[in-house]
Every structure is written in structure tokens, then in C-alpha cells.
Amino acid sequence: MAAVDIEECGVRLHARRIGIIGAGAAGLAAARVFAEENATSNNDTPPFVITVLERNNAVGGVWRYTPNSVCHYNVPQPDSSALRQKFDERCPKTGGFPTPIYDELSTNLPTDVMQFPDVPFPASTDEFPSHTEVL
């Protein structure tokens, strides 16, 4: 994957501290772009300080399967006092927050679209990989 020239995209970043919310596919791809910029920039530019924030205990975003989790989403509620309740959504088994992944889920995109250019799926992967193969 070629490094992205941030200035070539018409964006000039003066900030050097970068916060990325979420360690799913998009968050990891964004972090990678800034890391590659650090690796290819000249010494005239200070490096980016990259921080990726993830609420779960592992990377993967919505592709992180949380079996046997129960969601207690508190909106909408007819009684506004219910909104003040504190629910702990973490799955006791994994420590992660529930995701929309279910046991038999496969992607709706083929592997050549889902993969990063330099991190291909193994050749034995189905054309539409399951959630276990995505991670």
C-alpha cells in the first residue's frame, strides 16, 4: 500500500496529536495512514502522535463477536426517568460490548473487497467470509 500524501489530498494538518475513535476496520486503516506518513516524512515535519481509543478489550469493531450478550438499550422509553438509569452493556463472558454480529453471519462483500491490499485473506477463505474469518 502506497503512503498517502496528506497535502496532495488538499488537506494540511497542523495538529500532530491524532485521536482515532474505534479500532474497527476504519479506525485501524486511519491509524495506518498516519503511521505511514510518519515513516515516509522528512525530518522537517514532527511525527504524528497517534492514539486509537477502543471501548472493547480487543480490536475488530462491529466484527468482534460477543456471544450470549443481552442488550439493555434504554431508549426510547415512555418514562424519561428511565433514561437516567445506568446500564452496563458489557458481555460478562468476553468483557466486550455487544455487537450486531450473530453466529452464522457472513459478509455481503467478497474477499477481494474486504481485505487490506497487503493483508489478503488466506486462499482457502470462502468468497464471502464468515465473521470468524474477517478477524
Side-chain angles (χ1 to χ4, degrees):
M1 175 184 259
V4 174
D5 183 346
I6 293 173
E7 289 187 31
E8 182 180 296
C9 297
V11 176
R12 176 140 175 87
L13 293 178
H14 297 286
R16 303 318 288 176
R17 294 178 61 191
I18 306 296
I20 298 170
I21 309 298
L28 295 175
R32 180 179 181 165
V33 167
F34 286 107
E36 287 176 349
E37 181 69 17
N38 282 346
T40 60
S41 68
N42 58 33
N43 291 335
D44 296 340
T45 307
F48 290 109
V49 177
I50 308 159
T51 303
V52 179
L53 304 168
E54 173 58 50
R55 73 176 180 170
N56 283 314
N57 55 2
V59 301
V62 298
W63 285 102
R64 178 65 53 192
Y65 178 51
T66 51
N68 304 321
S69 63
V70 177
C71 296
H72 301 284
Y73 297 111
N74 61 347
V75 285
Q77 293 288 334
D79 178 8
S80 64
S81 66
L83 297 175
R84 291 191 278 288
Q85 295 176 10
K86 301 281 189 216
F87 291 108
D88 187 350
E89 297 292 336
R90 287 174 288 198
C91 174
K93 191 176 219 179
T94 64
F97 287 81
T99 66
I101 299 299
Y102 51 92
D103 191 40
E104 300 298 320
L105 183 70
S106 294
T107 70
N108 61 350
L109 299 171
T111 54
D112 61 335
V113 174
M114 286 288 297
Q115 67 193 7
F116 287 105
D118 61 337
V119 186
F121 284 102
S124 61
T125 306
D126 289 338
E127 183 178 8
F128 296 93
S130 70
H131 69 86
T132 58
E133 294 169 303
V134 170
L135 291 178

